[in-house]
Amino acid sequence: MENKKIKHISFYSGLIETLGYDPQRAILEIRLLSDGKIRRYENVPESAWYHLRQDKHPDTYFRRYICGRYTETTIEEETMG
């Protein structure tokens, strides 16, 4: 269950390519356009997921309210399945 793949949705912004969220584990995954790597953030409340998706400036929201506030790991594609 720990390595369960999180479904991503396409998300076009200047910074973010895709987003995925697992509410049972409170894990947010974000693939950035800059390097194509996926960042995984732990203990992210569901409200942050909704705000990120609905904010008029999602890149700013990501930098201000996600980066540096939650434990971040970079995961490789091969380990996601």
Side-chain angles (χ1 to χ4, degrees):
M1 181 81 171
E2 185 60 32
N3 290 328
K4 183 178 126 185
K5 187 172 181 175
I6 296 174
K7 181 181 177 186
H8 282 227
I9 58 171
S10 294
F11 191 84
Y12 299 102
S13 74
L15 180 68
I16 301 166
E17 183 178 356
T18 65
L19 299 170
Y21 185 72
D22 181 335
Q24 280 97 16
R25 297 184 291 156
I27 293 175
L28 173 67
E29 290 183 351
I30 297 177
R31 181 192 310 268
L32 299 181
L33 286 167
S34 61
D35 61 8
K37 293 182 180 176
I38 296 173
R39 271 71 172 181
R40 177 177 282 175
Y41 300 91
E42 298 176 15
N43 300 314
V44 178
E46 200 165 354
S47 60
W49 159 247
Y50 287 116
H51 283 114
L52 177 62
R53 288 178 39 213
Q54 297 172 353
D55 199 277
K56 290 182 181 181
H57 303 285
D59 297 348
T60 302
Y61 185 91
F62 170 68
R63 288 185 180 117
R64 188 172 291 159
Y65 299 107
I66 305 295
C67 286
R69 295 189 180 241
Y70 301 99
T71 302
E72 176 184 321
T73 54
T74 302
I75 58 174
E76 300 295 326
E77 281 292 325
E78 300 81 48
T79 62
M80 287 185 56

